[in-house]
Amino acid sequence: MGTIVCQQCENTIDHFEDEKVTTLYAKCCDSCEHEEVEK
């Protein structure tokens, strides 16, 4: 089983079927709100 994790808040976004235990990091997820920092 694989897990998709939000890179910023580290919450679990989703699970997917895989032969090995895998963790993938996404840039953002829908369940958290990130403040955008303007430079």
Side-chain angles (χ1 to χ4, degrees):
M1 174 180 271
T3 306
I4 302 174
V5 177
C6 179
Q7 207 169 22
Q8 294 182 354
C9 68
E10 296 186 6
N11 286 334
T12 301
I13 300 171
D14 202 3
H15 296 281
F16 60 93
E17 293 296 323
D18 197 2
E19 293 179 11
K20 297 184 278 183
V21 176
T22 307
T23 302
L24 297 177
Y25 288 92
K27 289 184 180 178
C28 193
C29 66
D30 295 333
S31 63
C32 63
E33 295 181 11
H34 304 287
E35 295 180 8
E36 294 183 13
V37 179
E38 295 182 10
K39 292 184 179 179

